[in-house]
Amino acid sequence: MATIQPADNNLYSVLARGWSEPARTFITMLDGTTISYAQLESGTARFANAIRALGVNTGDRVVVQVEKSPSALFVYLACVRAGAVFVPLNTAYTTAELDYFIGDAEPALVVCDPSRREAIGAIAARIGRCAVETLDANGRGSLFDLAHAASGEFATEPRAADDLAAILYTSGTTGRSKGAMLTHANLASNALVLARTWAFTRDDVLIHALPIFHVHGLFVATNIILASGASMIFLPKFDPDEVFRNMPRATALMGVPTFYVRLLADKRLSHETTKHIRLFVSGSAPLLAETHRAFSERTGHAILERYGMTETGMNTSNPYQGGARVAGAVGLPLSGVTIRITEPETGTALAAEEIGMIEVKGPNVFKGYWRMPDKTKSEFRGDGFFITGDLGKIDGKGYVHIVGRGKDLVITGGYNVYPKEIESEIDAIPGVFESAVIGVPHADFGEGVTAVVVREKGASVDERTILGALDGRLAKFKQPKRVLFVDELPRNTMGKVQKNVLQAAYKDLYRSLPKTG
Ligand code: MLC
Ligand code: AMP
């Protein structure tokens, strides 16, 4: 396996330190095909040589919007090995949405699905030196062909701790999406601390059912497995049938709360079917205390809830052992991470049990927003704490509780949707006077994106017209599940729309239970 220089902070080199047996399995596919750690090493070398040959140099961005496959993971690790900056994008994003990301990241290479090559080629052509290659859902395509023909040896580029490994876009509350710059040390420190905290060993087998373009599926799930030399059963997406089929040979599952709501709605969930699993992890959105309790009653497992975000990776975790996993709490700060609660306006620290802004500092906290120095400055305190935008408290036992959001954000099935972006699109539709987009409790997705619209005088625009106009412009998960019409929006004395009033009025809109298995 690779010879690693001790001083090298390249994330790949740090993760590879634990891979003592090349023949061990890294990935098992649904058809039983396996990929060993030795194949991971040579496969990522091939992709690293291919992207180098395409002109990608150290520090260059590589934008990747492809379906989940082992090749897609190899591209991620190949970028890391080559010292390039990996920029994954949600496969649900439309071409209209991609235009901004590609323009902002100015990549040297875009990797996309073959069906999008032409449209993306037209966008990339505006940047100048930017190659476009493809990978399909089976991991095949022009980039695979180039990698296949390349050498399986590659000297991993030594990196400083502070060098960029990835940029992940998070939508902006006011306007443009922001690229969170994550360094090799950010990702390595978080992977190592999580693997240790959750007691992962090389004998673990994770059911990997999350997408790999966000922090949860990529940097939590995948990097923990790599940091432990363990293996994962790689599902293309969350599918209860496949989860139950694979549970007898797995030891862990990581998911968003919707996974657990859907498993609970399935008759197969029991002590018996989950007995081989040692750890169920939930995150990315609030896990209802009732889901936590119901899961524990049905299976005997207390789901371990943790809290993180794109800019910071993981911040807190309920205990793996030696303490209670408290329903409704996100746990204790991870080793090396400091959390404080402050008065949002001034940043003055608050005492235990007082509710305020959650702020975080540690080796996990990102370097700043890509090409947005002012935005970066305004989201950090002078002493280096990052202002998360989440509201919470720390209880007498040191557990962090999230009680709300200081940012106008809807989290649906673990995906973030910023109302401002949806409102701007709706307001541009003929016949719409104004709109307010809110999150309403949803039995399956946690929150359902909901639009409340005021028509222009005399206009007859309806729900179907609005949804039709948004299709193709906004990713499916951002599109409202319902559009409701009112004569006017409730406003406070300052003229600000009272979204809490709308949320209260429509709280029962999606109260029905999710489909059962
Ligand atoms: C799919 N749809 C969604 C949706 N996912 N709508 C709202 N919210 C979502 N999350 C749309 C589909 O396009 C479809 O539209 C309809 O809703 C029903 O789809 P489905 O078949 O029920 O959805 P499914 O494909 O099963 O996906 C649901 C899901 C998936 C929950 C399994 O969204 C998922 O894997 N979410 C995980 C997101 C994630 O990884 N988040 C981590 C971010 S990192 P139609 O009209 O075609 O029927 C982060 C940091 C941290 O937050 O702390 O971890
Ligand atoms: P993202 O930008 O997609 O990384 O989303 C991060 C946001 O998800 C955080 O700022 C929180 O608001 C939310 N989040 C993540 N984990 C949890 C959790 N366990 N409970 C409640 N909210 C969470």
Side-chain angles (χ1 to χ4, degrees):
M1 306 223 51
T3 321
I4 296 150
Q5 299 161 12
D8 179 13
N9 286 293
N10 187 303
L11 169 67
Y12 183 87
S13 310
V14 174
L15 295 172
R17 283 187 190 126
W19 308 342
S20 48
E21 285 182 56
R24 285 186 80 91
T25 300
F26 168 49
I27 284 180
T28 304
M29 301 297 290
L30 283 187
D31 64 3
T33 319
T34 58
I35 296 170
S36 67
Y37 273 87
Q39 288 169 311
L40 165 70
E41 172 85 7
S42 60
T44 55
R46 289 183 205 285
F47 275 99
N49 282 316
I51 64 173
R52 275 274 173 81
L54 287 164
V56 175
N57 295 316
T58 308
D60 282 347
R61 276 78 55 213
V62 175
V63 167
V64 178
Q65 190 202 33
V66 296
E67 295 297 336
K68 186 175 177 180
S69 72
S71 295
L73 268 192
F74 283 10
V75 175
Y76 154 54
L77 292 169
C79 288
V80 171
R81 292 188 71 176
V85 181
F86 183 66
V87 189
L89 294 179
N90 194 323
T91 47
Y93 290 151
T94 63
T95 308
E97 289 167 305
L98 287 181
D99 200 8
Y100 167 75
F101 294 119
I102 294 174
D104 190 61
E106 287 194 299
L109 168 66
V110 182
V111 186
C112 65
D113 191 82
S115 63
R116 288 196 161 184
R117 186 176 196 149
E118 204 176 316
I120 287 178
I123 299 170
R126 296 208 294 272
I127 297 174
R129 187 187 65 90
C130 177
V132 180
E133 300 294 340
T134 63
L135 282 183
D136 65 17
N138 297 314
R140 300 299 170 103
S142 65
L143 187 63
F144 177 89
D145 294 340
L146 292 172
H148 194 63
S151 160
E153 303 273 327
F154 184 85
T156 297
E157 191 72 31
R159 295 276 78 196
D162 205 30
D163 284 333
L164 288 196
I167 295 175
L168 264 68
Y169 279 93
T170 83
S171 305
T173 35
T174 51
R176 299 198 303 146
S177 282
K178 301 165 290 182
M181 299 191 287
L182 297 160
T183 67
H184 285 259
N186 289 151
L187 302 181
S189 67
N190 219 226
L192 296 177
V193 77
L194 288 171
R196 211 171 49 237
T197 307
W198 296 342
F200 270 80
T201 72
R202 63 183 197 166
D203 294 326
D204 272 299
V205 180
L206 174 80
I207 297 179
H208 193 304
L210 287 158
I212 53 169
F213 40 69
H214 281 312
V215 165
H216 199 162
L218 191 62
F219 300 144
V220 182
T222 306
N223 283 357
I224 285 181
I225 293 307
L226 290 166
S228 331
S231 83
M232 54 191 185
I233 299 168
F234 212 52
L235 308 188
K237 58 171 282 196
F238 177 74
D239 172 352
D241 289 344
E242 288 301 343
V243 171
F244 282 111
R245 192 170 73 82
N246 286 290
M247 271 192 197
R249 55 202 179 105
T251 63
L253 173 74
M254 292 179 194
V256 296
T258 301
F259 284 21
Y260 295 103
V261 170
R262 290 185 181 184
L263 291 178
L264 270 167
D266 194 301
K267 295 184 202 75
R268 290 169 287 187
L269 187 76
S270 68
H271 275 76
E272 184 57 28
T273 49
T274 58
K275 71 177 184 208
H276 200 257
I277 304 277
R278 69 170 181 87
L279 179 63
F280 288 96
V281 177
S282 176
S284 308
L287 181 75
L288 294 181
E290 68 192 63
T291 308
H292 190 280
R293 281 193 280 271
F295 199 87
S296 170
E297 269 164 34
R298 280 271 290 284
T299 66
H301 291 279
I303 299 171
L304 184 152
E305 186 171 10
R306 76 350 171 239
Y307 159 59
M309 58 194 302
T310 303
E311 288 91 335
T312 64
M314 298 305 102
N315 298 315
T316 70
S317 167
N318 271 279
Y320 175 68
Q321 54 197 6
R325 296 184 197 165
V326 177
V330 294
L332 305 154
L334 291 168
S335 172
V337 177
T338 309
I339 302 268
R340 73 182 180 196
I341 307 293
T342 63
E343 208 280 309
E345 300 305 317
T346 60
T348 310
L350 297 175
E353 300 290 353
E354 286 187 307
I355 293 172
M357 179 62 68
I358 301 178
E359 298 189 4
V360 54
K361 190 173 179 180
N364 54 322
V365 176
F366 75 136
K367 196 171 174 174
Y369 294 111
W370 171 251
R371 292 179 176 166
M372 289 187 179
D374 294 343
K375 191 77 200 157
T376 302
K377 207 161 164 237
S378 67
E379 301 210 2
F380 279 89
R381 301 285 184 204
D383 58 1
F385 274 81
F386 174 64
I387 306 165
T388 62
D390 291 313
L391 301 176
K393 65 170 190 177
I394 300 178
D395 70 19
K397 292 185 173 151
Y399 283 67
V400 176
H401 300 246
I402 299 174
V403 300
R405 292 177 205 133
K407 47 197 174 190
D408 190 13
L409 161 71
V410 180
I411 305 184
T412 168
Y415 288 137
N416 289 6
V417 177
Y418 284 87
K420 183 95 182 70
E421 184 187 2
I422 321 303
E423 288 160 5
S424 309
E425 290 287 343
I426 295 176
D427 292 351
I429 297 170
V432 171
F433 175 64
E434 63 174 351
S435 64
V437 168
I438 53 172
V440 172
H442 190 290
D444 187 26
F445 290 125
E447 290 181 291
V449 177
T450 305
V452 185
V453 171
V454 179
R455 293 186 181 96
E456 267 170 4
K457 254 202 178 75
S460 58
V461 59
D462 62 8
E463 183 168 20
R464 255 192 42 210
T465 324
I466 290 186
L467 293 177
L470 296 179
D471 212 24
R473 291 201 56 81
L474 290 175
K476 197 102 206 174
F477 70 89
K478 295 182 190 172
Q479 295 176 22
K481 298 286 176 213
R482 288 294 314 275
V483 181
L484 307 160
F485 292 89
V486 293
D487 291 337
E488 59 180 344
L489 296 174
R491 291 196 138 82
N492 65 14
T493 47
M494 311 287 289
K496 195 171 181 293
V497 175
Q498 292 170 301
K499 291 197 168 180
N500 54 336
V501 173
L502 292 172
Q503 276 158 339
Y506 299 117
K507 68 178 177 8
D508 294 326
L509 197 59
Y510 311 111
R511 127 184 91 160
S512 57
L513 283 168
K515 51 193 179 228
T516 51

